Amino acid sequence: MPSQNDDPGSQWGSRPPSPPDIEQAIDRLKSLFLGGGSGKDSGRSLGGLLTAAILLLIVVSVWSAYYTVPSDSVAVVQRFGMYLKEVPPGLHFRLPLGIDNTTIVPVKRQLKQEFGFVTPGARDPGQGTREGGRETQMVTGDLNAALVEWVVQYRISDPVKFLFEVREPAETLRYVSESVMREVVGDRTVDEVITIGRQEIEIEALVKMQELSTKYVMGISIDQVQLKNINPPRPVQESFNEVNQAQQSKEKLINEARREYNKVIPLAEGEKDQRIREADGYRLKRINEAEGDALRFNALFTEYQKAPEVTRRRIYIETMQDVMPNIDSKVLMDNAGAGLLPLLSLDGKKERQQ
C-alpha cells in the first residue's frame, strides 16, 4: 500500500483499503492514460497533462475571443442566445466558450434572388430549395400561359429584424416575390406581359414586394425588380413566334410608311411656307412702292400748285432730257416755217468713227 502522503485523499483522512479488483482497474487506467507509470511519477504526469490542457483551453479561448467584421457588414452579438448589440466593421472582442455568439450580416452588400434561372457562381439564398421550372409558370389575365423569369435585388436594412423577426427571411422573400409576381402578371394580358407592359410590371411588383416586406417586418429593402426572359410554353412557342414575326413585319411597314410621310410632308410644308413668305414679301414691296409713288406725286402736286407754269416747264425739260438721248433720228420743226430744217447728224458720224 502507498504511504498516506502519496494518497490524494490523505488530507481528508485515511480511506479504507480497496478490494484487489478495484486496485487492478485503477492501475490499468493509469497505465492506459499515463503510459504505465505509477505512484509519484504518475501523479506528476497527470498534473502536467492537466496543466497543458488548461493552457490549451486558455489559448483557444483567447484566440476565439477576437473576430473581424468585414467593411460591408455588421455583427449581431448574442449573449446566451439573447440579443446584446450591433458591432460595426473592424476587429472586436467577445466572451469565449460560447457565451457570446456573433452573426455577420452584410448590410451594405446588394443581394439578389433569381427566379427561373441560376447564374453560375451567384449566391442566391433559398435557391436550392425551389424548383425553377414551376415558379416561372404563370397564367395571364386572358387565361394564357407564360414562362416569366425575373430577378429581385435587395439589401438588409435592419439586421435585428432580419435575424429575429422572421424565420428563414430569404426563403420568405422568395415566397413573397413569387406571390406578388403571379398577382401582377395575372392582371394583364399575355401581349402586355411579353411586349409593352414589362416596365409597368416591374414598378408595380417592386412597390407591392416592399409593402409586404414592411408588413412582415423582414428588415429588407427591395432595390429593383427586373424581368428577364418571358416566353410562351414550349408547345405553342413556334406558333407564338410566327405571330410575333407577323407583328414585327407589320410594325416595320408602319415605320417605313411613317418615314416616307415624314420625308414628304415636311418638305411640302416647307415649300408652302416659303411661297407664302415670298408672296407676303412681294405684297409688302408693291404696297410700299405704291405708297412711295403716291407720296411723291402728292409732293409734286403741292409744288405744282405753288407755281404751275414753272413746274410744268421743269417737268417738260426733265422729261425731254430722259427721252431725247434714246432717239437716234431727230427732226426739228418750226411752227412758223414752211419747210423742214436740215440737221447735221453728229451722232451717226460719231458711231461710224467708233
Side-chain angles (χ1 to χ4, degrees):
M1 294 291 294
S3 63
Q4 190 176 2
N5 294 332
D6 296 336
D7 189 355
S10 59
Q11 55 182 338
W12 306 106
S14 60
R15 62 181 179 180
S18 301
D21 53 350
I22 297 179
E23 291 181 356
Q24 293 177 1
I26 292 175
D27 293 338
R28 289 177 182 177
L29 290 175
K30 289 182 178 181
S31 62
L32 179 63
F33 290 100
L34 301 178
S38 60
K40 189 179 293 185
D41 294 337
S42 299
R44 292 176 180 175
S45 300
L46 182 60
L49 183 60
L50 183 61
T51 302
I54 293 174
L55 292 176
L56 180 60
L57 181 61
I58 293 174
V59 171
V60 172
S61 300
V62 173
W63 178 263
S64 62
Y66 289 94
Y67 63 98
T68 303
V69 181
S71 59
D72 61 348
S73 306
V74 296
V76 177
V77 182
Q78 296 171 257
R79 180 164 295 173
F80 296 112
M82 185 179 67
Y83 169 74
L84 181 62
K85 60 181 177 179
E86 291 184 16
V87 177
L91 183 63
H92 300 280
F93 175 81
R94 63 185 171 189
L95 297 180
L97 301 178
I99 299 175
D100 285 352
N101 185 22
T102 57
T103 304
I104 305 297
V105 182
V107 294
K108 297 182 181 179
R109 187 189 311 164
Q110 189 178 63
L111 307 175
K112 69 176 182 178
Q113 290 186 349
E114 299 172 340
F115 297 81
F117 67 100
V118 178
T119 302
R123 293 178 295 178
D124 186 357
Q127 178 66 33
T129 61
R130 308 300 301 276
E131 296 183 8
R134 294 186 58 184
E135 64 187 7
T136 59
Q137 299 175 2
M138 301 184 184
V139 179
T140 59
D142 54 355
L143 301 181
N144 287 313
L147 302 178
V148 183
E149 298 178 356
W150 74 98
V151 176
V152 177
Q153 297 179 353
Y154 66 97
R155 298 178 186 271
I156 300 174
S157 59
D158 193 330
V160 179
K161 294 180 181 179
F162 182 79
L163 292 177
F164 305 118
E165 292 293 336
V166 178
R167 181 178 298 175
E168 299 293 339
E171 185 70 15
T172 304
L173 178 61
R174 291 194 68 89
Y175 283 111
V176 169
S177 301
E178 184 177 348
S179 175
V180 169
M181 189 58 67
R182 290 185 184 277
E183 177 185 356
V184 175
V185 171
D187 293 337
R188 289 167 173 79
T189 63
V190 66
D191 293 333
E192 293 177 346
V193 173
I194 295 178
T195 56
I196 61 175
R198 296 172 65 97
Q199 186 175 3
E200 295 180 358
I201 292 174
E202 293 175 351
I203 295 175
E204 185 176 354
L206 174 62
V207 173
K208 290 187 176 182
M209 289 181 190
Q210 186 60 57
E211 290 178 354
L212 288 178
S213 299
T214 305
K215 179 180 179 181
Y216 296 154
V217 197
M218 298 172 61
I220 292 176
S221 175
I222 309 296
D223 292 340
Q224 185 179 10
V225 177
Q226 184 178 6
L227 292 176
K228 293 298 185 180
N229 297 326
I230 303 178
N231 298 312
R234 291 184 179 179
V236 298
Q237 190 168 3
E238 184 176 355
S239 300
F240 181 84
N241 291 335
E242 293 178 358
V243 174
N244 192 20
Q245 290 177 359
Q247 291 179 350
Q248 290 179 358
S249 300
K250 171 187 173 183
E251 294 294 332
K252 180 181 178 181
L253 294 176
I254 292 175
N255 292 332
E256 290 178 353
R258 288 178 178 175
R259 182 183 62 187
E260 293 297 328
Y261 174 85
N262 294 330
K263 181 179 179 181
V264 174
I265 298 301
L267 180 61
E269 291 180 351
E271 293 179 354
K272 179 195 70 173
D273 295 337
Q274 182 181 0
R275 298 285 181 85
I276 292 174
R277 286 193 295 269
E278 289 178 354
D280 290 338
Y282 180 74
R283 177 178 62 85
L284 293 176
K285 177 183 176 182
R286 296 295 296 170
I287 291 174
N288 293 331
E289 289 179 352
E291 290 178 351
D293 293 340
L295 292 175
R296 180 175 178 274
F297 179 81
N298 292 331
L300 291 175
F301 182 72
T302 302
E303 297 298 328
Y304 173 76
Q305 288 179 342
K306 294 179 181 179
E309 187 63 28
V310 176
T311 303
R312 186 183 300 111
R313 187 174 183 82
R314 181 176 60 81
I315 293 174
Y316 176 79
I317 294 173
E318 290 178 355
T319 303
M320 295 303 294
Q321 287 178 351
D322 295 336
V323 172
M324 292 300 291
N326 297 327
I327 300 176
D328 295 336
S329 299
K330 300 178 180 65
V331 178
L332 300 178
M333 297 180 65
D334 189 2
N335 293 331
L340 299 176
L341 178 65
L343 178 64
L344 180 62
S345 179
L346 299 178
D347 295 337
K349 184 177 180 180
K350 289 181 181 180
E351 291 178 356
R352 287 193 299 269
Q353 291 177 356
Q354 290 178 356

